[in-house]
Amino acid sequence: MCGIVGAVAQRNIVPILLEGLKRLEYRGYDSCGVAVHQNGLKRARSVARVAELQSQVAETGFAGMTGIAHTRWATHGAPATNNAHPHFSSRGSEQFIALVHNGIIENYEEIRTELKALGYVFESQTDTEAIAHLVNHTYDGDLLSTVQKVVKRLTGAFAIGVFCKDEPQRVIGARLGCPLIVGLGDGENFLASDAMALAGTTDQIIYLEEGDVVDVQLDAVRIFDRNDVAVERKAQTVNAYSGAIELGPYRHYMQKEIFEQPRAITDTLQGVLGFTPDLFGANAEEVFRDIDAIQILACGTSYYSGMTARYWLETIAGIPTNVEIASEYRYRRPAVNPRALVVVISQSGETADTLAALKYAKELGHKHSLAICNVGTSAMVRETELAYLTRAGAEIGVASTKAFSTQLAALFLLTLTLAKLRDRLTPEQEHDHLKNLRHLPAALQSVLALEPQIIAWADAFARKEHALFLGRGLHYPIALEGALKLKEISYIHAEAYPAGELKHGPLALVTEDMPVVTVAPNDTLIEKLKSNMQEVRARGGQLYVFADADSHIASSEGIHVIRLPEHYGVLSPILHVVPLQLLAYHTALARGTDVDKPRNLAKSVTVE
């Protein structure tokens, strides 16, 4: 969600800070700001885009060799200039402390009350300003020891960057529950919440661990653990996709990423010659032979990929599978099977609720864990025993597309690997599945060619305010994903149901003004689904059906049909989600919404 960039250098670092913010725009934000040490503390803030902040800075001759910058996604306090970061805390008439913060401080009201009684004046409604004033109040002449004391008083999740008027070439960072990295340069060093912020500036990255506090200076970076003991953290060379943020011929990143799916699937399946445990890690075979169930934990789109995988895992691999929303799992007392493999799914690998659920699962006694993730250097990959990287490449649009389809591909590989180990996959079946996987990119290209027909539907959808999505079996989670995409970027209220549930309530909503999108592959449930469609037509509903070529569903009055080129069996969900993505994209385009940065949403959800 929120983004942090900080720097200490012997040159003007404002262009680096602002470029870093631009690279973090994909995460989602509603305000932004930058502060530097320039004969004292100076800042600029905006509730518009980073481009407007750049204009502000250019007009004022803003410059400095030490500074911090931030993009904020509102939690405490509305999107307003006084709530935007960086926050200052003053001594007398001079600004003394500048601070940026990602996360949520749960005990900020207690700290705020204490500091108000001591005379501190609060200008915002944020929890962050309480940290800035607490740093000021605690300051003992050494910013490092001050921050080490302050973070021990904070309850919640945070990543912070802070500098002080009296120490002009120093930025202190700290993290607990939110990502923070250090970038190493030559006579200059950096702080950021995401390696992408520093792409083109440095590729030498240190990933801070839980509870770390870092002292960033010109020629040195010192890291201390949660016990204030100096530690070494290994630097890694990280290619942060500096070239992947170009739009090329596309109007939006979401459109680009939809059309990148054939390539993304190819990359995700690269090197897969068979369904062997070593795809998931060196000791994966030992782990897979030790488990007798699977517990999937995820949020949002990743949760729907887990729901789809449940059908595969139980039907093909014969392994009991439970799928839960991570934010719910982490707050209940589930019955624990220690031999269940915990599978966590996340595009970024930094999703706060999923990371917390993983930690909780381990505390409950789960021995084995696997991450399905797009970022190999993420906290999630570092904290699981096994991992499979989806290799989708940088996904900039807030609404996930290629990350979802590559998650499905990875989960299908997991299914077949487990099936083979459990003697549920014959050599002939293995050969057929490999053939189908290799053909997936070409099949996806054929589905993408349906875009002109989908654009015509989008013009009708753009005039609606509500929509229903229907699917059965494997395709119910795909209907859920389609509804999520439509509501995320077009702001049309959309809900999805298993088609058999229509008569248990949702039919009450069906009128001529309620489009009903139906995912209709030619599988064993097609006849049941046709009956459900007739229930819609009998109530005057308009059906928009994505059908396979051989499903024998014809266009007629009130039934609009787009045919996918081929039926793809158990891999059909990967094909059927693509037209739903295109429908959402073109509907949003017709409504004139901000497709890549939908209101109130963020790409990487790093707060609870």
Side-chain angles (χ1 to χ4, degrees), residues 137-167:
H137 179 68
T138 311
Y139 186 71
D140 58 8
D142 177 61
L143 190 58
L144 171 64
S145 64
T146 298
V147 172
Q148 288 174 320
K149 293 172 187 173
V150 165
V151 295
K152 289 177 174 59
R153 289 206 54 192
L154 304 179
T155 301
F158 58 82
I160 62 173
V162 55
F163 70 94
C164 174
K165 174 183 174 294
D166 285 1
E167 301 180 56

PDB file of all heavy atoms in Angstrom, residues 137-167:
ATOM      1  N   HIS A 137      10.015  13.811  21.457  1.00  0.00           N
ATOM      2  CA  HIS A 137      10.002  13.840  22.923  1.00  0.00           C
ATOM      3  C   HIS A 137      11.090  12.949  23.523  1.00  0.00           C
ATOM      4  O   HIS A 137      11.670  13.259  24.574  1.00  0.00           O
ATOM      5  CB  HIS A 137       8.627  13.392  23.429  1.00  0.00           C
ATOM      6  CG  HIS A 137       8.511  13.363  24.923  1.00  0.00           C
ATOM      7  ND1 HIS A 137       8.534  14.514  25.697  1.00  0.00           N
ATOM      8  CD2 HIS A 137       8.387  12.317  25.790  1.00  0.00           C
ATOM      9  CE1 HIS A 137       8.425  14.185  26.965  1.00  0.00           C
ATOM     10  NE2 HIS A 137       8.334  12.865  27.050  1.00  0.00           N
ATOM     11  N   THR A 138      11.395  11.834  22.848  1.00  0.00           N
ATOM     12  CA  THR A 138      12.342  10.849  23.373  1.00  0.00           C
ATOM     13  C   THR A 138      13.783  11.170  22.973  1.00  0.00           C
ATOM     14  O   THR A 138      14.724  10.605  23.538  1.00  0.00           O
ATOM     15  CB  THR A 138      11.967   9.436  22.856  1.00  0.00           C
ATOM     16  OG1 THR A 138      10.566   9.209  23.076  1.00  0.00           O
ATOM     17  CG2 THR A 138      12.744   8.339  23.569  1.00  0.00           C
ATOM     18  N   TYR A 139      13.964  12.074  22.032  1.00  0.00           N
ATOM     19  CA  TYR A 139      15.282  12.315  21.432  1.00  0.00           C
ATOM     20  C   TYR A 139      16.337  12.609  22.499  1.00  0.00           C
ATOM     21  O   TYR A 139      16.172  13.485  23.341  1.00  0.00           O
ATOM     22  CB  TYR A 139      15.206  13.478  20.440  1.00  0.00           C
ATOM     23  CG  TYR A 139      16.496  13.705  19.673  1.00  0.00           C
ATOM     24  CD1 TYR A 139      16.902  12.803  18.706  1.00  0.00           C
ATOM     25  CD2 TYR A 139      17.296  14.814  19.931  1.00  0.00           C
ATOM     26  CE1 TYR A 139      18.079  13.004  17.996  1.00  0.00           C
ATOM     27  CE2 TYR A 139      18.475  15.023  19.235  1.00  0.00           C
ATOM     28  CZ  TYR A 139      18.862  14.105  18.256  1.00  0.00           C
ATOM     29  OH  TYR A 139      20.039  14.302  17.557  1.00  0.00           O
ATOM     30  N   ASP A 140      17.445  11.842  22.414  1.00  0.00           N
ATOM     31  CA  ASP A 140      18.499  11.933  23.419  1.00  0.00           C
ATOM     32  C   ASP A 140      19.837  12.383  22.831  1.00  0.00           C
ATOM     33  O   ASP A 140      20.889  12.173  23.427  1.00  0.00           O
ATOM     34  CB  ASP A 140      18.675  10.588  24.124  1.00  0.00           C
ATOM     35  CG  ASP A 140      19.005   9.457  23.136  1.00  0.00           C
ATOM     36  OD1 ASP A 140      19.239   9.743  21.931  1.00  0.00           O
ATOM     37  OD2 ASP A 140      19.023   8.288  23.562  1.00  0.00           O
ATOM     38  N   GLY A 141      19.789  12.987  21.646  1.00  0.00           N
ATOM     39  CA  GLY A 141      21.014  13.417  20.989  1.00  0.00           C
ATOM     40  C   GLY A 141      21.519  12.424  19.963  1.00  0.00           C
ATOM     41  O   GLY A 141      22.418  12.732  19.179  1.00  0.00           O
ATOM     42  N   ASP A 142      20.932  11.218  19.942  1.00  0.00           N
ATOM     43  CA  ASP A 142      21.317  10.190  18.975  1.00  0.00           C
ATOM     44  C   ASP A 142      20.035   9.579  18.404  1.00  0.00           C
ATOM     45  O   ASP A 142      19.279   8.914  19.120  1.00  0.00           O
ATOM     46  CB  ASP A 142      22.163   9.121  19.654  1.00  0.00           C
ATOM     47  CG  ASP A 142      22.512   7.992  18.688  1.00  0.00           C
ATOM     48  OD1 ASP A 142      23.180   8.260  17.677  1.00  0.00           O
ATOM     49  OD2 ASP A 142      22.088   6.854  18.945  1.00  0.00           O
ATOM     50  N   LEU A 143      19.818   9.828  17.111  1.00  0.00           N
ATOM     51  CA  LEU A 143      18.550   9.423  16.507  1.00  0.00           C
ATOM     52  C   LEU A 143      18.385   7.904  16.505  1.00  0.00           C
ATOM     53  O   LEU A 143      17.272   7.400  16.666  1.00  0.00           O
ATOM     54  CB  LEU A 143      18.448   9.975  15.074  1.00  0.00           C
ATOM     55  CG  LEU A 143      17.086   9.831  14.391  1.00  0.00           C
ATOM     56  CD1 LEU A 143      15.983  10.514  15.192  1.00  0.00           C
ATOM     57  CD2 LEU A 143      17.145  10.377  12.964  1.00  0.00           C
ATOM     58  N   LEU A 144      19.475   7.176  16.348  1.00  0.00           N
ATOM     59  CA  LEU A 144      19.384   5.722  16.342  1.00  0.00           C
ATOM     60  C   LEU A 144      18.857   5.186  17.669  1.00  0.00           C
ATOM     61  O   LEU A 144      17.877   4.434  17.703  1.00  0.00           O
ATOM     62  CB  LEU A 144      20.753   5.108  16.040  1.00  0.00           C
ATOM     63  CG  LEU A 144      20.840   3.581  16.215  1.00  0.00           C
ATOM     64  CD1 LEU A 144      19.931   2.864  15.224  1.00  0.00           C
ATOM     65  CD2 LEU A 144      22.281   3.107  16.075  1.00  0.00           C
ATOM     66  N   SER A 145      19.494   5.565  18.757  1.00  0.00           N
ATOM     67  CA  SER A 145      19.048   5.049  20.057  1.00  0.00           C
ATOM     68  C   SER A 145      17.645   5.533  20.381  1.00  0.00           C
ATOM     69  O   SER A 145      16.856   4.832  21.028  1.00  0.00           O
ATOM     70  CB  SER A 145      20.026   5.463  21.159  1.00  0.00           C
ATOM     71  OG  SER A 145      20.052   6.865  21.324  1.00  0.00           O
ATOM     72  N   THR A 146      17.304   6.728  19.916  1.00  0.00           N
ATOM     73  CA  THR A 146      15.948   7.252  20.130  1.00  0.00           C
ATOM     74  C   THR A 146      14.912   6.367  19.457  1.00  0.00           C
ATOM     75  O   THR A 146      13.906   5.975  20.068  1.00  0.00           O
ATOM     76  CB  THR A 146      15.835   8.688  19.595  1.00  0.00           C
ATOM     77  OG1 THR A 146      16.731   9.530  20.318  1.00  0.00           O
ATOM     78  CG2 THR A 146      14.419   9.213  19.727  1.00  0.00           C
ATOM     79  N   VAL A 147      15.134   6.047  18.181  1.00  0.00           N
ATOM     80  CA  VAL A 147      14.172   5.222  17.447  1.00  0.00           C
ATOM     81  C   VAL A 147      14.105   3.821  18.055  1.00  0.00           C
ATOM     82  O   VAL A 147      13.021   3.226  18.159  1.00  0.00           O
ATOM     83  CB  VAL A 147      14.538   5.163  15.953  1.00  0.00           C
ATOM     84  CG1 VAL A 147      13.659   4.144  15.218  1.00  0.00           C
ATOM     85  CG2 VAL A 147      14.389   6.535  15.317  1.00  0.00           C
ATOM     86  N   GLN A 148      15.242   3.302  18.508  1.00  0.00           N
ATOM     87  CA  GLN A 148      15.223   1.987  19.151  1.00  0.00           C
ATOM     88  C   GLN A 148      14.333   1.983  20.386  1.00  0.00           C
ATOM     89  O   GLN A 148      13.633   1.006  20.670  1.00  0.00           O
ATOM     90  CB  GLN A 148      16.648   1.560  19.512  1.00  0.00           C
ATOM     91  CG  GLN A 148      17.486   1.172  18.301  1.00  0.00           C
ATOM     92  CD  GLN A 148      18.940   0.893  18.647  1.00  0.00           C
ATOM     93  OE1 GLN A 148      19.541   1.596  19.472  1.00  0.00           O
ATOM     94  NE2 GLN A 148      19.517  -0.122  18.033  1.00  0.00           N
ATOM     95  N   LYS A 149      14.336   3.079  21.123  1.00  0.00           N
ATOM     96  CA  LYS A 149      13.464   3.180  22.299  1.00  0.00           C
ATOM     97  C   LYS A 149      11.998   3.346  21.877  1.00  0.00           C
ATOM     98  O   LYS A 149      11.094   2.730  22.457  1.00  0.00           O
ATOM     99  CB  LYS A 149      13.882   4.365  23.157  1.00  0.00           C
ATOM    100  CG  LYS A 149      15.243   4.224  23.821  1.00  0.00           C
ATOM    101  CD  LYS A 149      15.666   5.523  24.486  1.00  0.00           C
ATOM    102  CE  LYS A 149      17.089   5.450  25.014  1.00  0.00           C
ATOM    103  NZ  LYS A 149      17.578   6.767  25.508  1.00  0.00           N
ATOM    104  N   VAL A 150      11.775   4.175  20.854  1.00  0.00           N
ATOM    105  CA  VAL A 150      10.400   4.481  20.445  1.00  0.00           C
ATOM    106  C   VAL A 150       9.691   3.243  19.910  1.00  0.00           C
ATOM    107  O   VAL A 150       8.524   2.985  20.251  1.00  0.00           O
ATOM    108  CB  VAL A 150      10.400   5.615  19.389  1.00  0.00           C
ATOM    109  CG1 VAL A 150       9.041   5.701  18.684  1.00  0.00           C
ATOM    110  CG2 VAL A 150      10.739   6.947  20.052  1.00  0.00           C
ATOM    111  N   VAL A 151      10.366   2.450  19.070  1.00  0.00           N
ATOM    112  CA  VAL A 151       9.662   1.318  18.452  1.00  0.00           C
ATOM    113  C   VAL A 151       9.224   0.281  19.487  1.00  0.00           C
ATOM    114  O   VAL A 151       8.264  -0.458  19.261  1.00  0.00           O
ATOM    115  CB  VAL A 151      10.522   0.646  17.353  1.00  0.00           C
ATOM    116  CG1 VAL A 151      10.758   1.609  16.209  1.00  0.00           C
ATOM    117  CG2 VAL A 151      11.828   0.112  17.906  1.00  0.00           C
ATOM    118  N   LYS A 152       9.894   0.265  20.615  1.00  0.00           N
ATOM    119  CA  LYS A 152       9.495  -0.680  21.676  1.00  0.00           C
ATOM    120  C   LYS A 152       8.179  -0.265  22.326  1.00  0.00           C
ATOM    121  O   LYS A 152       7.544  -1.069  23.019  1.00  0.00           O
ATOM    122  CB  LYS A 152      10.608  -0.800  22.707  1.00  0.00           C
ATOM    123  CG  LYS A 152      11.843  -1.544  22.184  1.00  0.00           C
ATOM    124  CD  LYS A 152      12.955  -1.595  23.205  1.00  0.00           C
ATOM    125  CE  LYS A 152      14.113  -2.471  22.730  1.00  0.00           C
ATOM    126  NZ  LYS A 152      14.704  -2.027  21.476  1.00  0.00           N
ATOM    127  N   ARG A 153       7.774   0.964  22.095  1.00  0.00           N
ATOM    128  CA  ARG A 153       6.501   1.438  22.645  1.00  0.00           C
ATOM    129  C   ARG A 153       5.344   1.269  21.669  1.00  0.00           C
ATOM    130  O   ARG A 153       4.186   1.486  22.029  1.00  0.00           O
ATOM    131  CB  ARG A 153       6.622   2.915  23.036  1.00  0.00           C
ATOM    132  CG  ARG A 153       7.479   3.167  24.250  1.00  0.00           C
ATOM    133  CD  ARG A 153       7.049   4.460  24.932  1.00  0.00           C
ATOM    134  NE  ARG A 153       5.624   4.464  25.242  1.00  0.00           N
ATOM    135  CZ  ARG A 153       4.957   5.553  25.625  1.00  0.00           C
ATOM    136  NH1 ARG A 153       5.585   6.725  25.741  1.00  0.00           N
ATOM    137  NH2 ARG A 153       3.672   5.497  25.887  1.00  0.00           N
ATOM    138  N   LEU A 154       5.647   0.931  20.425  1.00  0.00           N
ATOM    139  CA  LEU A 154       4.612   0.870  19.400  1.00  0.00           C
ATOM    140  C   LEU A 154       3.985  -0.521  19.322  1.00  0.00           C
ATOM    141  O   LEU A 154       4.696  -1.526  19.263  1.00  0.00           O
ATOM    142  CB  LEU A 154       5.197   1.245  18.037  1.00  0.00           C
ATOM    143  CG  LEU A 154       5.884   2.614  17.940  1.00  0.00           C
ATOM    144  CD1 LEU A 154       6.424   2.836  16.528  1.00  0.00           C
ATOM    145  CD2 LEU A 154       4.935   3.744  18.344  1.00  0.00           C
ATOM    146  N   THR A 155       2.664  -0.552  19.297  1.00  0.00           N
ATOM    147  CA  THR A 155       1.924  -1.792  19.099  1.00  0.00           C
ATOM    148  C   THR A 155       1.258  -1.726  17.735  1.00  0.00           C
ATOM    149  O   THR A 155       0.582  -0.748  17.414  1.00  0.00           O
ATOM    150  CB  THR A 155       0.846  -1.959  20.183  1.00  0.00           C
ATOM    151  OG1 THR A 155       1.472  -1.962  21.467  1.00  0.00           O
ATOM    152  CG2 THR A 155       0.089  -3.260  19.988  1.00  0.00           C
ATOM    153  N   GLY A 156       1.446  -2.762  16.937  1.00  0.00           N
ATOM    154  CA  GLY A 156       0.856  -2.779  15.600  1.00  0.00           C
ATOM    155  C   GLY A 156       1.878  -3.173  14.569  1.00  0.00           C
ATOM    156  O   GLY A 156       2.842  -3.882  14.854  1.00  0.00           O
ATOM    157  N   ALA A 157       1.665  -2.719  13.343  1.00  0.00           N
ATOM    158  CA  ALA A 157       2.577  -3.011  12.238  1.00  0.00           C
ATOM    159  C   ALA A 157       3.107  -1.697  11.690  1.00  0.00           C
ATOM    160  O   ALA A 157       2.357  -0.728  11.553  1.00  0.00           O
ATOM    161  CB  ALA A 157       1.846  -3.777  11.146  1.00  0.00           C
ATOM    162  N   PHE A 158       4.378  -1.679  11.355  1.00  0.00           N
ATOM    163  CA  PHE A 158       4.941  -0.426  10.866  1.00  0.00           C
ATOM    164  C   PHE A 158       6.227  -0.639  10.078  1.00  0.00           C
ATOM    165  O   PHE A 158       6.953  -1.605  10.267  1.00  0.00           O
ATOM    166  CB  PHE A 158       5.219   0.544  12.024  1.00  0.00           C
ATOM    167  CG  PHE A 158       6.151  -0.013  13.078  1.00  0.00           C
ATOM    168  CD1 PHE A 158       7.538   0.016  12.926  1.00  0.00           C
ATOM    169  CD2 PHE A 158       5.632  -0.574  14.235  1.00  0.00           C
ATOM    170  CE1 PHE A 158       8.375  -0.499  13.896  1.00  0.00           C
ATOM    171  CE2 PHE A 158       6.469  -1.108  15.214  1.00  0.00           C
ATOM    172  CZ  PHE A 158       7.845  -1.069  15.047  1.00  0.00           C
ATOM    173  N   ALA A 159       6.455   0.287   9.161  1.00  0.00           N
ATOM    174  CA  ALA A 159       7.772   0.549   8.588  1.00  0.00           C
ATOM    175  C   ALA A 159       7.906   2.062   8.639  1.00  0.00           C
ATOM    176  O   ALA A 159       6.989   2.786   8.214  1.00  0.00           O
ATOM    177  CB  ALA A 159       7.863   0.048   7.156  1.00  0.00           C
ATOM    178  N   ILE A 160       9.009   2.564   9.188  1.00  0.00           N
ATOM    179  CA  ILE A 160       9.169   4.016   9.321  1.00  0.00           C
ATOM    180  C   ILE A 160      10.519   4.437   8.760  1.00  0.00           C
ATOM    181  O   ILE A 160      11.487   3.673   8.727  1.00  0.00           O
ATOM    182  CB  ILE A 160       9.037   4.498  10.782  1.00  0.00           C
ATOM    183  CG1 ILE A 160      10.121   3.885  11.676  1.00  0.00           C
ATOM    184  CG2 ILE A 160       7.650   4.212  11.325  1.00  0.00           C
ATOM    185  CD1 ILE A 160      10.135   4.463  13.084  1.00  0.00           C
ATOM    186  N   GLY A 161      10.543   5.690   8.314  1.00  0.00           N
ATOM    187  CA  GLY A 161      11.780   6.360   7.953  1.00  0.00           C
ATOM    188  C   GLY A 161      11.765   7.724   8.615  1.00  0.00           C
ATOM    189  O   GLY A 161      10.745   8.423   8.579  1.00  0.00           O
ATOM    190  N   VAL A 162      12.864   8.114   9.265  1.00  0.00           N
ATOM    191  CA  VAL A 162      12.864   9.350  10.043  1.00  0.00           C
ATOM    192  C   VAL A 162      14.235  10.014   9.966  1.00  0.00           C
ATOM    193  O   VAL A 162      15.262   9.333   9.932  1.00  0.00           O
ATOM    194  CB  VAL A 162      12.457   9.061  11.522  1.00  0.00           C
ATOM    195  CG1 VAL A 162      13.348   8.006  12.140  1.00  0.00           C
ATOM    196  CG2 VAL A 162      12.452  10.323  12.358  1.00  0.00           C
ATOM    197  N   PHE A 163      14.245  11.365   9.895  1.00  0.00           N
ATOM    198  CA  PHE A 163      15.500  12.088  10.049  1.00  0.00           C
ATOM    199  C   PHE A 163      15.278  13.315  10.922  1.00  0.00           C
ATOM    200  O   PHE A 163      14.132  13.708  11.204  1.00  0.00           O
ATOM    201  CB  PHE A 163      16.147  12.416   8.705  1.00  0.00           C
ATOM    202  CG  PHE A 163      15.446  13.462   7.868  1.00  0.00           C
ATOM    203  CD1 PHE A 163      15.815  14.799   7.938  1.00  0.00           C
ATOM    204  CD2 PHE A 163      14.461  13.101   6.960  1.00  0.00           C
ATOM    205  CE1 PHE A 163      15.196  15.759   7.148  1.00  0.00           C
ATOM    206  CE2 PHE A 163      13.827  14.049   6.169  1.00  0.00           C
ATOM    207  CZ  PHE A 163      14.206  15.389   6.254  1.00  0.00           C
ATOM    208  N   CYS A 164      16.402  13.909  11.355  1.00  0.00           N
ATOM    209  CA  CYS A 164      16.377  14.944  12.384  1.00  0.00           C
ATOM    210  C   CYS A 164      17.184  16.152  11.935  1.00  0.00           C
ATOM    211  O   CYS A 164      18.225  16.011  11.273  1.00  0.00           O
ATOM    212  CB  CYS A 164      16.950  14.351  13.677  1.00  0.00           C
ATOM    213  SG  CYS A 164      17.171  15.537  15.013  1.00  0.00           S
ATOM    214  N   LYS A 165      16.733  17.347  12.321  1.00  0.00           N
ATOM    215  CA  LYS A 165      17.427  18.594  11.969  1.00  0.00           C
ATOM    216  C   LYS A 165      18.870  18.590  12.450  1.00  0.00           C
ATOM    217  O   LYS A 165      19.772  19.097  11.765  1.00  0.00           O
ATOM    218  CB  LYS A 165      16.679  19.781  12.574  1.00  0.00           C
ATOM    219  CG  LYS A 165      17.388  21.130  12.404  1.00  0.00           C
ATOM    220  CD  LYS A 165      16.629  22.240  13.087  1.00  0.00           C
ATOM    221  CE  LYS A 165      17.426  23.544  13.035  1.00  0.00           C
ATOM    222  NZ  LYS A 165      18.683  23.441  13.827  1.00  0.00           N
ATOM    223  N   ASP A 166      19.128  18.015  13.621  1.00  0.00           N
ATOM    224  CA  ASP A 166      20.466  18.075  14.200  1.00  0.00           C
ATOM    225  C   ASP A 166      21.429  17.027  13.658  1.00  0.00           C
ATOM    226  O   ASP A 166      22.616  17.038  14.003  1.00  0.00           O
ATOM    227  CB  ASP A 166      20.379  17.916  15.728  1.00  0.00           C
ATOM    228  CG  ASP A 166      19.870  19.182  16.409  1.00  0.00           C
ATOM    229  OD1 ASP A 166      19.577  20.162  15.689  1.00  0.00           O
ATOM    230  OD2 ASP A 166      19.752  19.172  17.649  1.00  0.00           O
ATOM    231  N   GLU A 167      20.919  16.096  12.826  1.00  0.00           N
ATOM    232  CA  GLU A 167      21.790  15.053  12.251  1.00  0.00           C
ATOM    233  C   GLU A 167      21.540  14.996  10.748  1.00  0.00           C
ATOM    234  O   GLU A 167      20.831  14.126  10.256  1.00  0.00           O
ATOM    235  CB  GLU A 167      21.514  13.707  12.929  1.00  0.00           C
ATOM    236  CG  GLU A 167      21.740  13.755  14.449  1.00  0.00           C
ATOM    237  CD  GLU A 167      21.479  12.423  15.116  1.00  0.00           C
ATOM    238  OE1 GLU A 167      22.109  11.429  14.720  1.00  0.00           O
ATOM    239  OE2 GLU A 167      20.636  12.388  16.037  1.00  0.00           O
TER     240      GLU A 167
END
